[in-house]
Amino acid sequence: MSEERLVKSRQRVADHGEVFTPRWLVDDMLDLVKGETERIDSRFLEPACGSGNFLVPVLERKLAAVQARHGRSDFERRHYGLFALMCVYGIELLEDNAEECRANLSGTFARFLGSGAPDEWIRAADAVLAANIVQGDALQMTAAGGGPLVFPEWGYLGRGRYQRRDFSYDSLTQRSSFQGTLFAEFEEHEIFTPTRTYPTVTVKGLAA
């Protein structure tokens, strides 16, 4: 959000308890886990993401880490930048907020890429965000259409190739009770196995 607009309307506050967190408070909270916010591969899930008040600053910190570590190679910078975006997730009850969150994250990534980047990078980012930012009810663990919430685990395999595996949200919450990290590694168990595994893909494939 361009201004510190913490309430969209009184009716939305009454109906949904919608109040946005100010940027200064977001920064203070993220500083408590500063090391994780600066890890490119650490995964953040915001179960009431609104328009991205938490997720945009998380992505900004991750992209700064990408710039510091991979800024000398445009190839690695772009691919690790997209991977940083892949590690940001959100659930939002209201459709307009979910759309605004995707747009804000996409805009943040576009500014990181700069004006000379091919359009396919933005299309790839938007495809990732369509899967990562989900309209649904985090408490009920249901998507907007009533089905189960599902999130992709993205991995960067190097040389411009990514791997996607989908997991149900309820299995991820069970994982967190074991170790406390999203998509943590576990021995094979039925609740920790993906619901779907995709072929490896490039930016061009994501953008198609």
Side-chain angles (χ1 to χ4, degrees):
M1 300 171 68
S2 59
E3 299 178 359
E4 286 288 286
R5 185 162 57 105
L6 306 183
V7 173
K8 286 188 174 180
S9 74
R10 292 181 179 179
Q11 190 62 49
R12 288 168 72 108
V13 175
D15 291 344
H16 306 291
E18 180 188 72
V19 178
F20 296 97
T21 309
R23 179 61 185 254
W24 67 265
L25 183 55
V26 170
D27 288 335
D28 282 353
M29 294 173 72
L30 293 180
D31 283 344
L32 296 175
V33 288
K34 188 173 185 292
E36 289 298 309
T37 65
E38 295 174 351
R39 272 183 51 208
I40 299 168
D41 62 346
S42 64
R43 295 180 173 90
F44 281 78
L45 169 61
E46 171 55 64
C49 65
S51 56
N53 285 33
F54 274 93
L55 296 183
V56 167
V58 168
L59 180 60
E60 289 172 347
R61 293 179 182 220
K62 285 176 170 291
L63 293 177
V66 171
Q67 181 63 41
R69 297 170 195 174
H70 302 286
R72 294 182 180 179
S73 166
D74 196 46
F75 180 90
E76 294 297 327
R77 178 181 179 273
R78 290 178 180 177
H79 281 89
Y80 275 102
L82 183 60
F83 183 47
L85 181 69
M86 289 173 167
C87 293
V88 173
Y89 301 84
I91 305 170
E92 171 52 39
L93 186 64
L94 302 179
E95 182 180 8
D96 61 335
N97 282 344
E99 292 177 354
E100 189 174 349
C101 182
R102 295 186 196 106
N104 287 338
L105 289 167
S106 180
T108 300
F109 183 64
R111 288 189 293 275
F112 169 78
L113 290 176
S115 58
D119 290 342
E120 69 179 12
W121 282 89
I122 299 301
R123 296 198 304 272
D126 289 344
V128 169
L129 290 169
N132 281 29
I133 307 301
V134 178
Q135 184 191 357
D137 189 325
L139 295 178
Q140 298 297 324
M141 298 188 183
T142 55
L149 287 167
V150 175
F151 286 102
E153 175 198 41
W154 300 94
Y156 182 46
L157 308 180
R159 299 184 179 182
R161 302 193 70 83
Y162 300 94
Q163 178 75 63
R164 173 179 173 175
R165 302 189 303 167
D166 286 354
F167 290 87
S168 64
Y169 178 59
D170 60 347
S171 74
L172 296 178
T173 60
Q174 292 180 66
R175 282 185 171 215
S176 66
S177 69
F178 279 79
Q179 186 164 333
T181 55
L182 194 63
F183 300 111
E185 294 297 330
F186 287 91
E187 295 180 1
E188 288 299 320
H189 188 287
E190 61 179 1
I191 68 170
F192 301 139
T193 55
T195 60
R196 183 177 178 184
T197 299
Y198 297 75
T200 58
V201 67
T202 63
V203 168
K204 184 177 181 179
L206 284 168

